[in-house]
């Protein structure tokens, strides 16, 4: 989103000077505000209980713009937004890995007719959080236990600390590729279907592609994928006329084992949309040989590098691989220092140029894990952090605010700087 104008910021600071009551006794409010904006954003919700003036200040619309004006980008808090389950009924949380702090966000606007939302996509642009699509159950449809894709779009404004409903997508979808354009004024979605976490390989697949114009609040259709594809990931490469939208992984048709059990057929290839040619797709071929692996692992994209091409990493069975665009292949980057017993329930996200691997300590094979399990601290989360440039690891532990261990197989996560 576009930053606030200088006039707007000046007006906000003049309002702070006349704020009643005083923020910090003995100091003008504009100076006190500058001091307080250096406090990490993840601590703001707890500081509201200090006094009436602090509650008024940390609840004001000016706090985000003041932080963006007075703090360098590198000092803004890199935060992880986690949706533990259906955001219509459960509050998402912000996690600050630098300060190991958690803060809640309000749940999305509730629709009494739908429930069980999952497989949606969340993406942050500026000071806004977008929640798009997903799969859910609708009490107005029949049969009641049949999952349906959603076309809903919501946006959370950290300035007003409130949700708003956006224009719906043209085609309802869940488990789809999604990325924001480098100039951050459009969002592109591709593929998807009606897959729900409660079912195996059931659900529809689709190939449609569309783009959301943030300024106009409207969706426009683009050239569809060459074939049905769901469960895929997407990201942009390049800038200007050379910009491309890459889609990799995912599954298409399903086959049955013994004529009963449905099994997904996963893709090994990469598809690229050349934006300058009207959005035409080209295929790059397979990323690995037959028998090397059966599907793509968890993918994250690091876009903080100096080059136009982002760094793409994959977590697969305790190993991290880096993607080589020139050869369309993967090479091993490193291995997790501490292996996990449940490799499927592991969170993997890129934050502040580093790779964060998250799991619960009761899923780690170690003596420390056994000791903590005896103390019934199942909600303690281990974060293993890898820096690709220095090739180094570090780790941290935190007590999550959830009543039970977070299921990373179904949780949705995205990153933001505030």
């Amino acid at each position: 989103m576009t930053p606030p104008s200088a006039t707007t910021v000046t007006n906000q600071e003049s309002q702070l000077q006349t704020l009643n009551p005083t923020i910090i006794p003995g100091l003008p409010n504009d100076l006190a505000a500058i001091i307080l904006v250096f406090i990490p954003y993840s601590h703001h919700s707890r500081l509201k209980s200090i006094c009436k003036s602090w509650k008024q200040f940390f609840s004001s619309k000016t706090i985000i713009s003041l932080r963006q004006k007075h703090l360098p980008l590198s000092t803004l808090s890199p935060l992880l937004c986690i949706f533990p389950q259906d955001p219509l009924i459960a509050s998402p949380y912000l996690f600050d890995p630098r300060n190991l702090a958690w803060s809640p966000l309000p749940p999305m606007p509730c629709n009494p007719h739908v429930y069980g939302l999952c497989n949606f996509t969340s993406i942050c642009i500026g000071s806004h959080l977008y929640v798009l699509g997903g799969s859910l159950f609708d009490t107005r449809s029949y049969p009641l236990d049949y999952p349906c894709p959603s076309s809903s779009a919501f946006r959370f404004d950290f300035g007003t600390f409130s949700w708003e409903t956006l224009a719906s997508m043209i085609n309802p979808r869940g488990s789809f590729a999604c990325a924001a354009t480098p100039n951050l004024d459009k969002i592109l979605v591709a593929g998807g279907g009606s897959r729900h976490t409660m079912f195996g390989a059931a659900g529809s697949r689709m190939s449609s592609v569309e783009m959301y114009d943030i300024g106009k609040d409207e969706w426009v259709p683009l050239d569809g994928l060459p074939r049905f594809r769901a469960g895929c990931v997407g990201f942009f490469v390049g800038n200007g006329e050379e910009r491309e939208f890459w889609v990799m992984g995912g599954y298409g048709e399903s086959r049955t084992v013994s004529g009963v059990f449905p099994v997904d057929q996963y893709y090994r290839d990469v598809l690229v949309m050349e934006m300058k040619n009207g959005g035409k797709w080209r295929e790059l071929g397979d990323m690995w040989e037959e028998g090397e692996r059966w599907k793509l692992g968890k993918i994250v994209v690091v876009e903080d590098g100096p080059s136009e091409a982002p760094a793409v990493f994959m977590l697969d069975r305790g190993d991290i691989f880096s993607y080589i665009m020139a050869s369309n292949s993967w090479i091993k980057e490193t291995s997790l220092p501490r292996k996990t017993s449940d490799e499927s329930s592991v969170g993997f996200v890129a934050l502040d140029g580093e790779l964060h691997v998250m799991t619960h300590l009761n899923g780690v094979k170690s003596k420390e894990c056994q000791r903590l399990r005896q103390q019934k601290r199942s909600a303690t989360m281990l974060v293993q952090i890898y820096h690709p440039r220095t090739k180094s690891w570090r780790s941290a532990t935190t007590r999550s605010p959830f009543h039970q261990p977070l299921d990373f197989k179904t949780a949705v996560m995205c990153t933001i700087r505030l």
Side-chain angles (χ1 to χ4, degrees):
M1 304 296 290
T2 57
S5 63
T7 303
T8 302
V9 175
T10 302
N11 292 336
Q12 292 170 346
E13 291 180 341
S14 63
Q15 294 174 3
L16 288 172
Q17 293 178 359
T18 59
L19 184 66
N20 189 23
T22 303
I23 299 178
I24 299 179
L27 292 178
N29 282 346
D30 56 349
L31 178 58
I34 295 176
I35 295 174
L36 293 183
V37 296
F38 281 86
I39 299 176
Y41 183 86
S42 55
H43 295 320
H44 290 188
S45 59
R46 287 180 289 179
L47 294 175
K48 293 179 182 180
S49 61
I50 298 297
C51 60
K52 181 179 179 181
S53 61
W54 284 31
K55 180 179 181 180
Q56 186 177 354
F57 170 72
F58 285 113
S59 301
S60 67
K61 301 178 181 179
T62 63
I63 186 70
I64 296 296
S65 58
L66 287 175
R67 287 179 61 82
Q68 293 175 342
K69 177 186 178 182
H70 295 288
L71 273 64
L73 180 62
S74 60
T75 60
L76 289 176
S77 302
L79 305 173
L80 177 63
C81 185
I82 302 179
F83 295 83
Q85 51 183 309
D86 187 347
L88 299 174
I89 59 175
S91 299
Y93 271 80
L94 290 179
F95 173 56
D96 184 351
R98 286 183 179 177
N99 301 282
L100 300 178
W102 297 80
S103 58
L105 298 177
M108 289 194 325
C110 181
N111 184 340
H113 299 289
V114 301
Y115 62 97
L117 181 65
C118 68
N119 288 337
F120 55 91
T121 296
S122 62
I123 184 172
C124 291
I125 301 177
S127 59
H128 293 83
L129 167 65
Y130 293 81
V131 174
L132 309 174
S135 301
L136 45 74
F137 298 99
D138 195 325
T139 59
R140 297 164 294 184
S141 64
Y142 183 84
L144 294 178
D145 60 349
Y146 187 79
C148 305
S150 172
S151 61
S152 298
F154 299 92
R155 177 170 60 195
F156 183 78
D157 187 343
F158 283 91
T160 61
F161 211 72
S162 61
W163 289 93
E164 60 179 319
T165 303
L166 305 177
S168 299
M169 290 186 289
I170 301 174
N171 298 289
R173 68 185 78 214
S175 300
F176 52 93
C178 177
T181 56
N183 53 1
L184 304 180
D185 62 347
K186 293 179 176 61
I187 301 174
L188 199 148
V189 299
S194 63
R195 169 69 61 85
H196 196 276
T197 56
M198 292 180 59
F199 296 86
S204 62
R205 283 83 164 159
M206 63 192 308
S207 60
S208 70
V209 180
E210 52 191 286
M211 185 165 57
Y212 177 68
D213 189 311
I214 295 178
K216 298 179 180 180
D217 187 28
E218 66 178 15
W219 295 86
V220 295
L222 299 179
D223 188 33
L225 296 166
R227 51 189 175 275
F228 295 150
R229 186 182 294 251
C232 45
V233 296
F235 54 90
F236 278 95
V237 175
N239 291 301
E241 295 183 355
E242 302 301 323
R243 181 184 307 158
E244 297 177 334
F245 178 63
W246 288 47
V247 174
M248 60 173 54
Y251 51 86
E253 300 296 332
S254 62
R255 59 184 177 86
T256 57
V257 178
S258 301
V260 178
F261 303 102
V263 178
D264 289 318
Q265 291 184 323
Y266 288 90
Y267 292 123
R268 294 181 291 165
D269 62 341
V270 178
L271 302 176
V272 179
M273 173 186 280
E274 299 177 355
M275 306 300 290
K276 67 177 181 180
N277 294 329
K280 298 301 180 181
W281 291 93
R282 75 175 191 271
E283 301 185 31
L284 297 185
D286 294 342
M287 295 177 286
W288 61 83
E289 300 293 335
E290 182 71 29
E292 185 176 350
R293 62 172 51 90
W294 68 290
K295 70 173 183 178
L296 203 66
K298 296 178 181 289
I299 301 296
V300 298
V301 180
V302 179
E303 299 178 340
D304 298 336
S307 63
E308 293 184 355
V312 183
F313 297 92
M314 173 177 62
L315 176 64
D316 185 24
R317 295 189 294 269
D319 296 322
I320 294 179
F321 297 81
S322 59
Y323 178 66
I324 309 300
M325 291 187 177
S327 59
N328 188 31
S329 60
W330 296 88
I331 62 171
K332 184 176 178 180
E333 174 82 13
T334 184
S335 298
L336 296 181
R338 302 175 66 177
K339 303 295 183 180
T340 62
S341 58
D342 185 4
E343 296 177 351
S344 61
S345 185
V346 176
F348 188 44
V349 66
L351 188 63
D352 200 26
E354 297 178 317
L355 310 181
H356 290 62
V357 181
M358 295 170 291
T359 186
H360 291 279
L361 281 176
N362 60 355
V364 179
K365 297 178 180 179
S366 67
K367 294 182 179 180
E368 180 184 0
C369 166
Q370 298 175 0
R371 177 178 59 82
L372 292 175
R373 186 162 55 236
Q374 293 173 356
Q375 299 175 0
K376 298 182 179 180
R377 295 182 60 185
S378 59
T380 301
M381 191 166 65
L382 170 68
V383 185
Q384 300 183 79
I385 305 170
Y386 177 72
H387 198 300
R389 294 183 182 177
T390 61
K391 309 293 183 181
S392 60
W393 282 94
R394 72 179 193 276
S395 64
T397 57
T398 179
R399 189 73 181 273
S400 71
F402 310 113
H403 298 297
Q404 54 187 343
L406 184 65
D407 187 359
F408 290 105
K409 291 181 290 186
T410 58
V412 176
M413 298 182 291
C414 65
T415 60
I416 188 172
R417 280 187 178 273
L418 294 173

